[in-house]
Amino acid sequence: MNTISEYWETIWQYRDTFRSGFWVTLQICVLSATGALLIGSLVAIARISPVPPLRAAGTAYVTIFRNTPLTVIMFFAAFALPELGSNADFLRIPGLDKIFGRLGTDLPYFRFAVLALSMYTAAFVCEAIRSGINAVPAGQAEAARSLGLTFIQNLRHVVLPQAWKAAIVPLGSVIIAMIKNSALAGFFGVVGDLSQSANSLTSAGGEPVIPIFIGISIGYLILTVPLGLLLDQVEKRRAVTR
Amino acid sequence: MKKDKPQATVLYDAPGPRARTINLVGSVVIGILLIFLAYQFVYVPLDEKEQFSGELWGPLLDPSNENFDRVWRRLGDGLVNTLKAAALAIVASFICGMALAVLRIQLKSLMTRRFLSLHPVLRYTLRTLSWILNGVTRFCVEVFRGLPVIITIFFVSRLTPEIANEVWYNPVSYIPEDPMWYVVIGLTIYNMVVIAEILRSGMEGLPGGQKEAASSLGLSSFQTTRLILLPQSLKIMLPALISQLVVILKDTSLGALISYTELLNVGKQVIGVLDNPLQTYTVVAVIYILLNYSLSKLAQYAQYRLSRSRNRPKKLPKAPPTVAPMT
């Protein structure tokens, strides 16, 4: 019993570190998810367009980013980009850096992490969207065309609603995986997120490993487990209605 | 339908002669535009920074360079270490994953048993016990599935020496020195849970008749799971399982963060000497892409073979798509 109360004391002692780490991780996740959805949709549009060069470019993007480990991409962003003289300054979006303070700082590592995470996740987002659109039977769109719907009407009323239903579960699991991948940011110069706190508390701080592990884990599980359960519910409901 | 004729997709009809002409012109224009953009915004800036110089690329690409042999021997060592860690993690997580899947199915069927023939005290003890066991395994699965792999690996690398100290009271001789084991253990913990969930959903998706037929033949619950459900689940879920191999292979690169000298870490060392980050990371990325791409092709081939095979149950539950899962 003694050790349990000791553990609890350590966790309680560092509650502020865990809380601020959670916020930094959440910021990385929100920004990267937005970026990944944007880039991913663009790549998906390129991949389903009727223009061969665009399709080829989209396919190349997906093949490259899906088969490279995120660690390599992170190293690339954190150590090769500065070599090229880039600080990812285009991510210092005015207005947005008021909310997400780290975007505007002189240290570029937060921006590098968001950039790498967005580019990597975008490949998987693209595949989820594309598989959703391909899951719509071709007869649906043919029927819409023969009813005289234009291309935009066809997309808006027939194809996209059905594609959305097929894509929502894969998209959700991509986002969950992205939240877990955001832990890598702490190993590439982003100070103060959950994983970097874990590292500094246990190595430099010399704190016992288990209570810190529990505190850090709670931070990640708050994000991933509810999303996973929600996704299971959506999947079950879809399985029944189909 | 002939292969070279564009087919109708969900979004577009098969193009007629006029649309084909427009398409061709558009393709050429957009193709030239793309090449121009790549030249203007990728090639020119890189060239200005002299990133295409032989000094930076030579040790990696030019066999006559004095460093070529040494660099590639090191990279080869790194690749061997990557494959070693990946192979160990794959074997371990498959064995443990299968065991965990069987355990969870067994616990679930245990929970439906009511032990009516036993004394009430014993009956309720057993029922509570099976509830608790089921809850504990469920909890562990949810926790380790929801944690980032790198956090698991990191804490394995921190905890193992501590536990070794506690158990053997001899800090020197029993601490595993090779960080490879931390990578393998961490990857196994995460991936065995994922594989167990894949196999479990495969088993639960099987037609109920399989289980009923097995129990009417007199097989016990454990025999049913082991001999009837698990093999079929392995077969149905084969594409998803092979995609999981890609994930494990990719995740061995996390070893670079806890100083295991695998491919990526060797790349880092090479950069430390030659100071060519862009070039070396590109080569490392290309090696990973080749490995993973061939594994994904294997997954597609497996799915193709599976869809052809004859002796399968009539109503297969829908296998997950081969979209490689993210880590």
Side-chain angles (χ1 to χ4, degrees):
Chain A
M1 279 301 119
N2 194 22
T3 49
I4 288 182
S5 68
E6 273 172 31
Y7 284 174
W8 175 244
E9 254 168 43
T10 318
I11 295 177
W12 190 246
Q13 186 189 345
Y14 287 107
R15 62 190 184 284
D16 284 338
T17 317
F18 294 141
R19 198 186 303 143
S20 63
F22 178 77
W23 282 120
V24 176
T25 296
L26 191 65
Q27 284 186 15
I28 297 177
C29 290
V30 170
L31 286 170
S32 311
T34 320
L37 287 174
L38 279 177
I39 305 173
S41 319
L42 288 179
V43 179
I45 291 172
R47 275 202 85 174
I48 55 176
S49 74
V51 189
L54 274 183
R55 274 209 305 263
T59 312
Y61 181 93
V62 170
T63 311
I64 290 173
F65 279 93
R66 216 173 59 173
N67 289 315
T68 317
L70 179 61
T71 331
V72 176
I73 298 172
M74 281 281 193
F75 268 113
F76 211 98
F79 297 111
L81 281 187
E83 190 83 357
L84 300 176
S86 168
N87 264 342
D89 281 329
F90 62 91
L91 281 175
R92 291 185 172 185
I93 305 158
L96 205 60
D97 56 4
K98 294 281 181 300
I99 311 169
F100 303 100
R102 300 272 184 125
L103 271 184
T105 53
D106 286 335
L107 267 182
Y109 292 112
F110 186 84
R111 293 193 292 274
F112 287 155
V114 169
L115 187 65
L117 209 51
S118 309
M119 303 271 285
Y120 178 76
T121 312
F124 295 88
V125 168
C126 163
E127 285 306 88
I129 294 175
R130 204 175 66 100
S131 71
I133 288 178
N134 283 340
V136 180
Q140 294 280 330
E142 273 165 17
R145 275 196 292 270
S146 58
L147 281 174
L149 266 63
T150 63
F151 181 71
I152 300 292
Q153 283 173 330
N154 184 357
L155 268 187
R156 180 165 145 26
H157 297 291
V158 180
V159 176
L160 285 188
Q162 297 183 58
W164 171 247
K165 272 187 194 156
I168 181 72
V169 173
L171 267 182
S173 51
V174 165
I175 294 299
I176 291 177
M178 194 212 70
I179 293 172
K180 288 189 269 178
N181 282 333
S182 75
L184 270 176
F187 292 84
F188 291 91
V190 175
V191 178
D193 87 322
L194 278 173
S195 58
Q196 197 271 337
S197 310
N199 200 350
S200 65
L201 284 180
T202 50
S203 58
E207 291 297 334
V209 178
I210 293 173
I212 301 295
F213 176 60
I214 293 171
I216 296 297
S217 304
I218 291 172
Y220 282 109
L221 294 176
I222 287 177
L223 289 172
T224 52
V225 170
L227 257 178
L229 293 178
L230 185 74
L231 221 56
D232 282 351
Q233 284 302 313
V234 173
E235 204 171 3
K236 250 180 220 154
R237 235 182 47 202
R238 274 191 42 232
V240 172
T241 50
R242 207 186 301 160
Chain B
M1 197 177 271
K2 262 196 265 169
K3 247 221 162 136
D4 54 351
K5 254 193 181 169
Q7 301 181 6
T9 60
V10 189
L11 297 176
Y12 311 99
D13 261 328
R18 190 164 151 261
R20 271 211 293 276
T21 321
I22 295 174
N23 231 338
L24 187 68
V25 175
S27 307
V28 171
V29 171
I30 291 180
I32 291 172
L33 195 72
L34 278 178
I35 293 172
F36 174 75
L37 286 177
Y39 175 80
Q40 193 63 30
F41 291 103
V42 180
Y43 181 79
V44 170
L46 288 180
D47 198 33
E48 272 173 8
K49 295 257 172 0
E50 293 179 346
Q51 292 292 334
F52 292 105
S53 68
E55 199 187 325
L56 293 173
W57 282 102
L60 292 164
L61 297 181
D62 179 15
S64 62
N65 193 292
E66 47 170 341
N67 288 325
F68 183 84
D69 275 345
R70 262 188 296 166
V71 165
W72 277 98
R73 204 171 307 129
R74 289 291 294 144
L75 285 176
D77 289 347
L79 187 60
V80 168
N81 278 345
T82 291
L83 293 177
K84 211 161 70 180
L88 283 171
I90 285 167
V91 170
S93 45
F94 261 79
I95 294 172
C96 301
M98 276 196 270
L100 185 62
V102 171
L103 178 75
R104 283 205 66 191
I105 291 282
Q106 287 302 108
L107 280 177
K108 209 171 176 190
S109 67
L110 196 67
M111 261 174 54
T112 56
R113 274 183 66 177
R114 311 182 66 181
F115 303 106
L116 283 179
S117 56
L118 297 172
H119 185 269
V121 177
L122 202 60
R123 185 196 303 163
Y124 286 110
T125 328
L126 279 175
R127 276 167 72 174
T128 338
L129 204 67
S130 58
W131 269 94
I132 291 173
L133 272 177
N134 188 53
V136 168
T137 45
R138 175 94 202 273
F139 178 77
C140 289
V141 165
E142 288 296 339
V143 164
F144 285 110
R145 209 166 49 147
L147 275 183
V149 205
I150 180 61
I151 294 289
T152 314
I153 293 177
F154 176 72
F155 278 103
V156 166
S157 76
R158 283 284 150 85
L159 264 181
T160 317
E162 260 189 32
I163 293 175
N165 280 349
E166 294 259 328
V167 174
W168 285 296
Y169 299 105
N170 186 348
V172 188
S173 54
Y174 288 106
I175 299 173
E177 278 299 318
D178 194 353
M180 179 183 81
W181 293 108
Y182 304 148
V183 180
V184 171
I185 294 169
L187 285 180
T188 304
I189 291 176
Y190 176 75
N191 287 294
M192 77 181 230
V193 169
V194 175
I195 287 173
E197 286 298 284
I198 292 174
L199 287 176
R200 195 179 60 91
S201 70
M203 286 195 246
E204 284 180 350
L206 285 173
Q210 297 285 332
K211 210 172 178 179
E212 285 159 20
S215 55
S216 64
L217 282 173
L219 296 182
S220 73
S221 160
F222 180 60
Q223 280 173 324
T224 310
T225 317
R226 189 167 54 94
L227 300 172
I228 310 291
L229 300 183
L230 187 63
Q232 294 191 61
S233 165
L234 275 173
K235 197 173 169 194
I236 294 166
M237 292 296 171
L238 191 63
L241 291 173
I242 296 181
S243 312
Q244 200 59 34
L245 301 190
V246 177
V247 171
I248 297 181
L249 186 60
K250 271 162 76 176
D251 280 354
T252 52
S253 66
L254 294 172
L257 300 176
I258 59 163
S259 65
Y260 173 48
T261 46
E262 43 71 76
L263 186 57
L264 182 57
N265 211 345
V266 169
K268 259 170 71 188
Q269 293 165 1
V270 169
I271 291 163
V273 179
L274 298 174
D275 195 27
N276 54 351
L278 188 75
Q279 290 73 14
T280 309
Y281 286 137
T282 307
V283 167
V284 169
V286 166
I287 296 175
Y288 274 115
I289 290 171
L290 289 178
L291 278 177
N292 290 324
Y293 191 71
S294 32
L295 262 182
S296 325
K297 282 284 159 228
L298 185 69
Q300 273 173 20
Y301 179 69
Q303 198 167 33
Y304 164 73
R305 280 297 297 268
L306 216 61
S307 65
R308 269 190 348 170
S309 75
R310 272 171 300 157
N311 52 351
R312 56 178 179 154
K314 278 261 169 56
K315 261 186 79 179
L316 271 181
K318 216 175 126 232
T322 33
V323 178
M326 237 167 102
T327 49

